[in-house]
Amino acid sequence: MSKALEKALAAYKAKFGDEFPTFPYRTSGESDMIEIIRKCIKNNRDVYDSGFLELDDIEY
């Protein structure tokens, strides 16, 4: 994991008080995850409220 992604994940957790759900993005590149995190923080909406994921998308 790159320092840039680590920094973005820490910023997401600090902003929303929750971990960014990396598992659904396991096949995406780190740059894609960083961009999604950046957009979430900029819009003050977590990954679900931003429409990137839905709670129904979670697989256990």
Side-chain angles (χ1 to χ4, degrees), residues 19-38:
E19 302 286 336
F20 178 80
T22 57
F23 188 77
Y25 298 104
R26 65 193 175 279
T27 59
S28 301
E30 288 188 359
S31 60
D32 291 340
M33 284 193 278
I34 292 168
E35 182 63 20
I36 290 169
I37 291 169
R38 186 191 67 75

Side-chain angles (χ1 to χ4, degrees), residues 7 9 12 14 18-19 21 33 36-37 40 45 52-53 56-60:
K7 185 177 177 181
L9 291 170
Y12 185 92
D18 198 6
E19 302 286 336
M33 284 193 278
I36 290 169
I37 291 169
C40 289
R45 298 173 67 142
F52 291 109
L53 286 178
D56 294 344
D57 293 340
I58 299 173
E59 295 181 26
Y60 296 96

